[in-house]
Amino acid sequence: MNFVAPPSQGRPTPDQVTFHKTELREIVGLYGRMVAAGEWRDYAISFLSEVAVFSVFRRASEQPLYRIEKRPKLRDRQGMYSVVGMDGRILRRGHDLKMVLRVLEKKLIRSVDLD
């Protein structure tokens, strides 16, 4: 007996918002740096009808620390990219993903005590 997966499994349907390969490269690059710094340990990706979400976790059993969201309907307004904190507050929103992700990169900058 052969099992053939339905065409929608593993591939986005036309009514789903997804991240483009270049967008994922930016997000996963930041994710890798944060994992190396010991800040993040897990992630999840959701493709929904109005939003694509990349959620990052300190531990898999917790709620996400941050959500990186793409909402194409906001493209002509505030910008389609946003970073949302654990409390639901929008930390940064804009048209350029790289600029929006900078709010999270600030977490990598730490002061070094030379004494």
Side-chain angles (χ1 to χ4, degrees), residues 37-78:
E39 295 292 322
W40 298 347
R41 287 188 174 68
D42 203 4
Y43 72 92
I45 300 176
S46 301
F47 301 134
L48 306 171
S49 62
E50 294 188 13
V51 62
V53 182
F54 187 98
S55 302
V56 294
F57 301 85
R58 188 173 312 262
R59 288 175 201 76
S61 62
E62 296 179 348
Q63 65 180 359
L65 291 173
Y66 301 102
R67 293 187 327 264
I68 301 163
E69 298 183 352
K70 175 182 176 181
R71 294 180 183 269
K73 286 187 178 181
L74 297 178
R75 178 182 298 129
D76 297 330
R77 296 184 195 140
Q78 309 101 315

Side-chain angles (χ1 to χ4, degrees), residues 54-115:
F54 187 98
S55 302
V56 294
F57 301 85
R58 188 173 312 262
R59 288 175 201 76
S61 62
E62 296 179 348
Q63 65 180 359
L65 291 173
Y66 301 102
R67 293 187 327 264
I68 301 163
E69 298 183 352
K70 175 182 176 181
R71 294 180 183 269
K73 286 187 178 181
L74 297 178
R75 178 182 298 129
D76 297 330
R77 296 184 195 140
Q78 309 101 315
M80 70 175 154
Y81 302 109
S82 61
V83 173
V84 181
M86 186 185 310
D87 58 358
R89 200 169 25 121
I90 296 174
L91 304 177
R92 178 156 306 161
R93 175 177 283 162
H95 300 282
D96 182 12
L97 179 61
K98 221 178 231 187
M99 296 298 290
V100 171
L101 292 178
R102 281 190 180 171
V103 72
L104 297 174
E105 287 180 354
K106 290 179 183 177
K107 306 284 184 194
L108 285 173
I109 300 172
R110 297 180 179 158
S111 62
V112 178
D113 187 15
L114 299 176
D115 292 331

